[in-house]
Amino acid sequence: MARRSLINTAVLAIFAAMLSGCGFHLRGALPSDMIAKTIYVDGLGRGDPFLQEFSQILSYSGGSIAASPSQAGAIIHIVKARQNRRPIGLSKQGRANLFDLSYRVVYDVTTPQGEVLLPRQELELRRDYFNDQTSPLSQTQEEIQIQQEMQREAAQLLFRRVTYGLSHPAKKS
């Protein structure tokens, strides 16, 4: 009985050592060396779904959206956030039935004093979408859902890029 207890304890200790050495950490927590944990987002209206998604991701991670640029440690300037829908295929009747949906965000990150932390960058997401026109109402709903998912994914990608950029600032030469 004592031997079994000793083996169980040894296995548990080995497992704990392996887990602590693998670099595991809770998903979404802001890095401790991040320059700014309060961020102001400029260029989008308060009700914009992209901004709401980004704000939610930031708050889940321990950061917050500042009410004004002077209260922020970093300012994200959204130069452009645009959805686009482009036909790329036609049916036998000559109607568009295959579309290229895209969501493009152009941004840069500065300090409230105007120092550039991340130069202007862009991120773009694309999805192909087939609309067979047999059920127009459900196809419209499906397209709206795809666009919302692209906004959500773009907000997550922007968050990861900004977090990395503020945690690993470029060395000035």
Side-chain angles (χ1 to χ4, degrees):
M1 189 71 151
R3 184 174 182 186
R4 177 175 258 187
S5 177
L6 184 61
I7 291 173
N8 286 345
T9 304
V11 169
L12 194 58
I14 291 170
F15 180 71
M18 287 174 36
L19 186 61
S20 67
C22 75
F24 175 79
H25 63 281
L26 291 175
R27 178 178 160 214
L30 291 176
S32 58
D33 60 346
M34 191 165 150
I35 295 171
K37 295 187 184 200
T38 303
I39 297 174
Y40 181 78
V41 180
D42 183 36
L44 296 175
R46 290 281 178 215
D48 189 277
F50 178 79
L51 178 61
Q52 290 175 349
E53 189 68 37
F54 182 81
S55 174
Q56 192 173 35
I57 293 167
L58 184 62
S59 67
Y60 285 161
S61 300
S64 63
I65 294 286
S68 70
S70 61
Q71 297 172 341
I75 300 172
I76 300 174
H77 301 278
I78 304 291
V79 178
K80 186 186 301 182
R82 181 174 295 155
Q83 290 182 353
N84 194 16
R85 178 182 192 249
R86 185 175 60 108
I88 56 174
L90 300 174
S91 68
K92 292 178 187 175
Q93 293 80 24
R95 295 176 124 180
N97 65 354
L98 184 62
F99 296 93
D100 175 45
L101 303 176
S102 65
Y103 189 70
R104 182 174 178 226
V105 178
V106 179
Y107 67 95
D108 61 44
V109 181
T110 64
T111 64
Q113 296 76 29
E115 179 186 344
V116 176
L117 298 173
L118 293 172
R120 184 170 288 188
Q121 299 177 21
E122 101 175 35
L123 62 94
E124 185 172 16
L125 301 168
R126 292 186 170 278
R127 302 286 185 275
D128 289 340
Y129 163 67
F130 182 73
N131 182 345
D132 65 1
Q133 294 295 320
T134 57
S135 175
L137 290 177
S138 65
Q139 296 296 326
T140 302
Q141 275 305 111
E142 183 179 356
E143 185 173 331
I144 289 169
Q145 185 174 0
I146 292 169
Q147 290 173 340
Q148 289 171 344
E149 288 173 2
M150 287 171 46
Q151 281 185 337
R152 186 175 304 116
E153 187 176 339
Q156 291 170 353
L157 186 56
L158 177 65
F159 172 77
R160 287 192 297 268
R161 285 184 178 186
V162 168
T163 301
Y164 182 81
L166 295 178
S167 300
H168 301 86
K171 306 275 191 264
K172 292 188 179 181
S173 48

